[in-house]
Amino acid sequence: MRLVGLNRQVIPASQASISVLDHGLLYGMGLFETFRTYDGVPFLLDRHLKRLEESCSVLGIPYTQDDSTFRDWLQALLAANDLKDAYVRYTVTAGEGGLGLPSGMYEAPQELLLVKPLPVMPDEAYLKGRGLQLLHTPRNTPETPVRLKSLHYMNSIIAKKELQSYPEAVALQAEGCMLTVNQELAEGIVSNLFFIREGHLYTPDIGTGILPGITRTAVLELAQQLSIPVHEGRYGWEDLLEADEVFTTGSVQELMPITSLLAQGQKTALVGSGVMGPITGQLLQAYRQWTGNRQEGRGLRG
């Protein structure tokens, strides 16, 4: 990463700095969005910026973003790094606040924009899918009524360390499945979770404390357009074991089929026929048509 965005400028990464008194560093008071570009165009950017603005309001961070101004900044950063299709992380920190907990609104938030090449994901990876490892690390409860995409990421990092301790999960490039303290399905470490049974689509509801993912919402909208019955509720690991199809969602990897379920001390369970199922494929194809992804229609049989 040669060049980064800081406060709407493009500068060498070696010159970028944020104050040691920034409350994003001292107290985790900050938020971020991750998304990807398709042929240089960020997908569902308006939704990401709206969520970020609403979340900043909850934390007392004065933040508004003009869509056009942000697009220009992003395009400049992509061009400076010779990228078109990229992984993008946009962070807003609270800014300086001194030592001690704040008593009022913050005054000078800091904006950090980073880009990097997308991970290589061949069509075959979507056909074969990946594993899902049940974790002992529970998903923590959110600090606010609805989980924010905040800089408080220790819970996910601990979960990732646990995931890396399972050799089979590492071999299968598995995502980790986190449960609530009540042993209900929550979400993946960096993804939302869905399963399909008898033609119906199921996903944990927001009340479980999961992140209301942008891609999660997009999939729910697509399912309704495709007349796939949708259910948001409280489920357990056993529901995944009985499912016909399972997949995770995220802005970068889109819809990723889960074809095997792993739990410590238990035999690996195959999901469906062990490849991407037909409804997952239908939803993925519809999602890629929406994004304008040039790979649409390829690798969708299963």
Side-chain angles (χ1 to χ4, degrees):
M1 189 183 304
R2 298 175 300 166
L3 296 160
V4 302
L6 182 63
N7 296 327
R8 310 194 185 188
Q9 301 296 316
V10 174
I11 61 175
S14 60
Q15 296 178 16
S17 64
I18 292 177
S19 170
V20 297
L21 295 178
D22 193 300
H23 275 205
L25 170 64
L26 294 179
Y27 303 112
M29 293 296 284
L31 301 138
F32 71 99
E33 293 289 329
T34 55
F35 51 91
R36 61 176 288 180
T37 58
Y38 292 86
D39 198 24
V41 179
F43 183 56
L44 298 180
L45 178 62
D46 56 338
R47 301 190 186 194
H48 284 283
L49 294 181
K50 180 181 179 181
R51 180 171 67 177
L52 183 59
E53 185 172 336
E54 291 174 347
S55 299
C56 282
S57 177
V58 172
L59 298 185
I61 300 173
Y63 168 83
T64 57
Q65 180 61 264
D66 175 71
D67 181 281
S68 178
T69 300
F70 181 84
R71 288 177 186 272
D72 290 344
W73 184 27
L74 175 58
Q75 288 302 319
L77 183 60
L78 290 171
N81 285 284
D82 296 320
L83 292 172
K84 259 198 168 182
D85 290 341
Y87 171 107
V88 182
R89 171 166 167 148
Y90 178 36
T91 304
V92 176
T93 76
E96 287 191 28
L99 291 178
L101 301 183
S103 57
M105 291 283 290
Y106 289 101
E107 297 180 356
Q110 302 291 298
E111 299 177 50
L112 177 63
L113 186 61
L114 306 175
V115 297
K116 69 177 184 179
L118 284 169
V120 178
M121 295 295 295
D123 289 346
E124 185 179 12
Y126 287 91
L127 177 61
K128 292 184 176 180
R130 65 190 304 190
L132 184 70
Q133 173 72 52
L134 178 62
L135 301 178
H136 295 294
T137 304
R139 175 55 89 199
N140 61 348
T141 55
E143 297 89 352
T144 50
V146 175
R147 183 178 296 277
L148 306 180
K149 200 170 178 66
S150 76
L151 302 185
H152 295 183
Y153 235 58
M154 187 183 296
N155 183 229
S156 293
I157 292 173
I158 292 172
K160 184 64 177 291
K161 288 182 178 296
E162 180 189 346
L163 178 64
Q164 295 300 309
S165 72
Y166 301 118
E168 186 176 4
V170 173
L172 292 174
Q173 297 183 319
E175 166 67 306
C177 178
M178 303 182 74
L179 306 181
T180 69
V181 293
N182 296 321
Q183 298 298 295
E184 297 168 331
L185 288 178
E187 56 192 343
I189 300 174
V190 291
S191 62
N192 286 123
L193 182 62
F194 288 82
F195 66 93
I196 297 163
R197 187 165 59 213
E198 298 179 352
H200 288 233
L201 181 65
Y202 298 84
T203 191
D205 65 47
I206 298 300
T208 58
I210 64 174
L211 180 74
I214 301 297
T215 308
R216 174 186 182 274
T217 301
V219 168
L220 292 175
E221 293 173 6
L222 288 172
Q224 292 178 339
Q225 294 174 17
L226 295 170
S227 299
I228 300 170
V230 172
H231 307 271
E232 297 180 69
R234 306 298 176 98
Y235 312 107
W237 180 253
E238 64 278 3
D239 289 299
L240 297 186
L241 294 172
E242 297 171 359
D244 302 316
E245 303 176 43
V246 180
F247 63 90
T248 59
T249 59
S251 295
V252 175
Q253 292 192 353
E254 305 173 322
L255 284 70
M256 175 56 66
I258 297 297
T259 51
S260 58
L261 300 172
L262 301 85
Q264 190 175 28
Q266 299 180 24
K267 184 178 179 181
T268 299
L270 200 66
V271 178
S273 59
V275 295
M276 178 170 57
I279 295 179
T280 302
Q282 185 182 15
L283 286 166
L284 177 58
Q285 185 173 34
Y287 184 84
R288 286 181 167 175
Q289 288 173 344
W290 189 357
T291 65
N293 189 343
R294 296 180 179 182
Q295 295 183 22
E296 68 179 66
R298 290 172 28 205
L300 299 180
R301 298 179 182 178

